[in-house]
Amino acid sequence: MAMKPPDPQVVVIFGASGDLTRRKLLPALYHLFVENMLPEGFAVVGYSRSGLSDEDFRARARDALERFARCSVDAEAWSEFARRLSYVSGGFDGSNAMDHLRGHLDAIDRRHRTQGGRLYYAATPPAAYPSIAARLSQCGLHEAGRIVVEKPFGEDLASARALNAHLHLGFDESQIFRIDHYLGKETIQNILALRFANGMFEPIWNRRYVDSVQITVAEEIGIEGRATFYEETGTIRDMVQTHLLQVLTFVAMEPPVSLEPDRLRDEKVRVLRSMRPVDPRRVVRGQFQGYRDQPGVSAGSQAETYAALQVEMDNWRWAGVPFHLRTGKRMNRKLTEVSLLFRHVPFNVFGPADGPGPVRDALVVRVQPEEGISIHLNVKKPGVGLMDVERASLDFDYEKTFSTPLLEAYELLLLEAMMGDHTLFTREDEVERAWEVLAPVLRDPPPVVPYAPGSWGPPEADALLGPVR
Ligand code: BG6
């Protein structure tokens, strides 16, 4: 893939012995490396409390790649990559906690010609972010650096504001990259191309033609040993405040004046500002049966593993159009989709005048799996005499159309952060407004209702939103 690689730099991963580093970050960096998308002057420094040597860190990295990399681990590429890996053991407390990191980075600059470029990646639990930002600035390491922080950004509006204030003590907004990996998915970015690079959809992309919008993120997996996190966080904070609202902004935004990061983000914020704060009576929180038997989950847990919400916007484009957001774990299958359901024809000539009429047209963006776009519509069934209509689809499939394999979300976002491009990262005001919109339901959550693992969620959600398309 021909592109100019980012400037020389060291990627410093805080939380280097953790799960995110193993499952996502190291495999993503390795893949970018073998695809020649990284600069010649490039190195990775792992930092965490665990007392590991460079060799231990490399052995762990090798194991992570064997298990999670998308490509096979080639001996030559691995030895080139491994040469660029090193490890510093340390904590985040005490103003001089990172002094030795500073010396290490200077040595790396000399060894790997990384020229003082730094990308700090906070892959730790969020509680450590303020200390990481504070220590980096106390050691003067923030000056030439960018910092990537993982979600969740706080647990409500007040904590998000406090976190943003902490980050800003050392870094200004142009240095901060809040990652939401859904924005790294090609199919989510393609919503913008579908809407703004084609003339045919935008005229009907509004309340006059659209009856409702469904955003569904169903997962087959459960909580995967993350009981402590899920007990504290739950699906609304983990998935809705982040991924689902981000997807919603792409679907609902006005055409941006350019794709400049801040012009795009301005439009996303306008969507969030036009959203009505969520009414808890329009929310169903579900919990899959068996969740309370998982180790680390309390017997009377009220943490939700599923959420269905009806949200509305007060603006000219969307007034009166319900947006149905649904997401859950242990559901029937993995499926992420955005569906626009169009209004019924005003008069049905195909059946009894008082009959239900043809099924509504739908435009579906298949985010994953089988990435693509479908338009479901009614066509005439072949045959003489009767004018019967039946459902048919127009389908676009990424894999069939493009031979280039899609970059994985973390690969793309790491690269964008290394290049300093904020387009696919969330801005401070976006994150804060997203918390504000959810505040009523976080303050006054309805009790959780059970649902069967392998189902499409609790029946109460279908009663509120109708069935999944
Ligand atoms: C993460 C959530 O952000 O996204 C997880 O913390 C969830 O709970 C995951 O499983 C889903 O991501 P994807 O890319 O598999 O849809």
Side-chain angles (χ1 to χ4, degrees):
M1 222 177 280
M3 52 146 263
K4 188 178 169 300
D7 291 338
Q9 58 195 287
V10 187
V11 176
V12 182
I13 305 177
F14 296 109
S17 52
D19 220 39
L20 181 70
T21 306
R22 205 164 64 96
R23 281 175 188 271
K24 297 288 184 190
L25 303 183
L26 289 170
L29 288 168
Y30 180 71
H31 194 237
L32 292 172
F33 180 76
V34 295
E35 291 290 329
N36 290 322
M37 294 170 107
L38 296 180
E40 184 50 38
F42 161 73
V44 178
V45 174
Y47 184 102
S48 73
R49 290 202 167 90
S50 316
L52 304 178
S53 66
D54 286 351
E55 279 316 311
D56 296 335
F57 182 55
R58 287 182 190 130
R60 285 188 177 213
R62 172 83 201 215
D63 179 62
L65 300 186
E66 300 287 355
R67 294 219 227 164
F68 302 112
R70 300 200 293 139
C71 48
S72 58
V73 186
D74 167 85
E76 201 179 319
W78 161 252
S79 94
E80 269 304 299
F81 185 71
R83 206 167 64 73
R84 294 171 156 87
L85 302 182
S86 61
Y87 182 82
V88 174
S89 156
F92 306 118
D93 305 325
S95 56
N96 52 2
M98 287 182 190
D99 282 349
H100 57 309
L101 175 64
R102 191 192 173 101
H104 183 80
L105 289 173
D106 290 342
I108 294 284
D109 278 341
R110 289 191 293 276
R111 198 175 325 144
H112 293 290
R113 297 198 305 276
T114 38
Q115 299 179 19
R118 309 280 183 255
L119 182 74
Y120 303 108
Y121 200 116
T124 58
Y129 299 166
S131 318
I132 293 174
R135 296 300 90 85
L136 285 171
S137 41
Q138 274 156 355
C139 303
L141 281 171
H142 62 300
E143 278 158 13
R146 304 184 176 114
I147 186 164
V148 181
V149 285
E150 269 289 334
K151 61 175 262 293
F153 314 109
E155 56 189 41
D156 55 16
L157 177 61
S159 54
R161 281 191 176 140
L163 174 57
N164 281 329
H166 269 113
L167 291 172
H168 285 146
L169 288 176
F171 294 87
D172 69 43
E173 188 64 21
S174 68
Q175 294 172 284
I176 301 172
F177 292 75
R178 296 177 195 80
I179 202 165
D180 184 308
H181 80 277
Y182 266 56
L183 297 188
K185 294 184 191 275
E186 289 277 359
T187 33
I188 297 295
Q189 294 162 48
N190 198 34
I191 294 173
L192 299 185
L194 175 77
R195 293 190 54 197
F196 305 131
N198 297 293
M200 64 194 283
F201 298 113
E202 203 46 27
I204 55 167
W205 205 272
N206 58 51
R207 64 191 298 275
R208 244 186 281 163
Y209 300 97
V210 177
D211 186 71
S212 63
V213 178
Q214 293 195 355
I215 300 177
T216 305
V217 180
E219 294 186 88
E220 212 174 328
I221 57 167
I223 54 166
E224 308 295 292
R226 295 195 301 162
T228 315
F229 173 72
Y230 242 75
E231 281 289 277
E232 281 170 12
T233 311
T235 295
I236 295 181
R237 290 185 169 91
D238 181 35
M239 300 293 289
V240 179
Q241 195 271 348
T242 53
H243 309 323
L244 278 89
L245 289 187
Q246 284 297 315
V247 176
L248 180 143
T249 61
F250 273 39
V251 177
M253 71 162 76
E254 294 303 315
V257 291
S258 77
L259 291 181
E260 283 277 289
D262 274 330
R263 298 299 73 78
L264 192 75
R265 298 191 299 175
D266 289 346
E267 295 305 334
K268 291 168 69 194
V269 176
R270 283 179 62 196
V271 171
L272 294 167
R273 291 212 186 292
S274 69
M275 273 178 79
R276 290 194 195 157
V278 173
D279 178 348
R281 288 167 305 179
R282 306 248 136 237
V283 176
V284 172
R285 293 193 315 129
Q287 190 183 74
F288 66 79
Q289 283 153 346
Y291 171 75
R292 291 179 188 175
D293 305 331
Q294 316 250 333
V297 172
S298 69
S301 170
Q302 281 291 312
E304 78 279 357
T305 60
Y306 172 98
L309 304 84
Q310 186 180 80
V311 302
E312 286 189 52
M313 265 160 266
D314 287 328
N315 62 28
W316 278 48
R317 187 185 287 267
W318 296 117
V321 179
F323 278 66
H324 293 162
L325 313 185
R326 268 183 253 243
T327 178
K329 308 241 178 243
R330 297 299 313 274
M331 291 181 67
N332 185 278
R333 64 190 155 95
K334 186 168 179 74
L335 173 85
T336 302
E337 266 188 10
V338 175
S339 306
L340 270 69
L341 304 181
F342 291 90
R343 287 185 187 281
H344 280 297
V345 291
F347 166 65
N348 172 26
V349 292
F350 290 94
D354 55 353
V359 184
R360 287 182 304 196
D361 305 333
L363 185 151
V364 180
V365 178
R366 296 190 309 276
V367 176
Q368 57 190 18
E370 290 154 23
E371 289 81 355
I373 297 171
S374 295
I375 296 176
H376 300 294
L377 69 178
N378 300 303
V379 297
K380 182 188 172 298
K381 207 158 119 185
V384 189
L386 283 179
M387 264 296 247
D388 279 349
V389 292
E390 204 168 279
R391 294 299 268 174
S393 299
L394 304 175
D395 291 313
F396 152 68
D397 183 296
Y398 256 99
E399 208 177 302
K400 284 191 195 133
T401 309
F402 297 107
S403 51
T404 328
L406 304 182
L407 273 189
E408 205 265 331
Y410 271 96
E411 295 165 1
L412 182 79
L413 293 175
L414 270 163
L415 205 55
E416 298 279 336
M418 289 176 81
M419 295 202 269
D421 187 328
H422 275 98
T423 311
L424 300 174
F425 295 86
T426 52
R427 206 168 60 187
E428 148 183 53
D429 49 353
E430 265 181 79
V431 171
E432 292 181 5
R433 176 62 190 165
W435 283 120
E436 211 164 46
V437 164
L438 292 170
V441 66
L442 295 175
R443 217 171 24 235
D444 184 17
V448 289
V449 292
Y451 63 97
S455 70
W456 283 109
E460 289 83 347
D462 287 353
L464 174 71
L465 307 182
V468 176
R469 180 196 64 78

